[in-house]
Amino acid sequence: MSEFAPAWSNPKMTKAQVRKYIRDMEEAREKARIKLENAKKSWEFDNEEKELENIEKELDNL
């Protein structure tokens, strides 16, 4: 995009580009929320959280 914009101005997104960007970000947020819910249901989230706490304790002991 910078090759089409004049050197003295900042490149700007068109309204259509902004709408597409927001739509893509909302889709990514929804997918991440679903993955997080699935991880919580399968106890992966809790196990990883406990592992992180154990690692932090070990680091504090060093």
Side-chain angles (χ1 to χ4, degrees), residues 12-43:
K12 295 180 174 48
M13 293 176 76
T14 64
K15 289 182 181 181
Q17 289 172 324
V18 171
R19 284 192 304 265
K20 183 181 183 314
Y21 177 77
I22 291 172
R23 186 175 58 244
D24 291 345
M25 290 296 108
E26 289 296 328
E27 289 174 5
R29 178 187 291 166
E30 184 64 21
K31 288 179 184 176
R33 187 184 63 77
I34 290 170
K35 283 185 179 180
L36 184 60
E37 287 178 2
N38 290 339
K40 285 181 180 178
K41 288 178 185 176
S42 67
W43 300 98

